[in-house]
Amino acid sequence: MTRHEEQGEGGGRDGRRGRRPVLWKAAGLTLAGALVLGLAAAGWAYRHLDDNITGVDIDGALGDDRPARAVT
């Protein structure tokens, strides 16, 4: 009798040979989903904050009431 025949068809202890790749696949899919959700949240935050930024004309806001320019 060979060692594989002694261990049975599963090839591992308690027949759990195929369980580890399934766990790795589930963990990978979970991390990929978290990455996608994180990127979506970052994109939403960027777009939300970027919409609030407006340009201001500093020259127009200050007007003509300024000190004289320094001589260079």
Side-chain angles (χ1 to χ4, degrees):
M1 192 181 272
T2 65
R3 187 166 52 139
H4 293 290
E5 291 172 347
E6 289 175 2
Q7 291 178 349
E9 291 293 320
R13 289 179 282 184
D14 300 331
R16 297 192 309 180
R17 180 178 173 180
R19 178 173 265 180
R20 187 166 288 168
V22 173
L23 292 176
W24 280 109
K25 189 174 187 179
L29 288 174
T30 301
L31 288 175
L35 179 65
V36 168
L37 287 175
L39 288 174
W44 174 84
Y46 175 78
R47 187 174 279 262
H48 179 73
L49 293 173
D50 191 44
D51 286 343
N52 289 331
I53 297 173
T54 58
V56 175
D57 182 18
I58 298 297
D59 290 330
L62 291 175
D64 292 331
D65 187 22
R66 299 185 188 191
R69 291 186 184 241
V71 178
T72 57

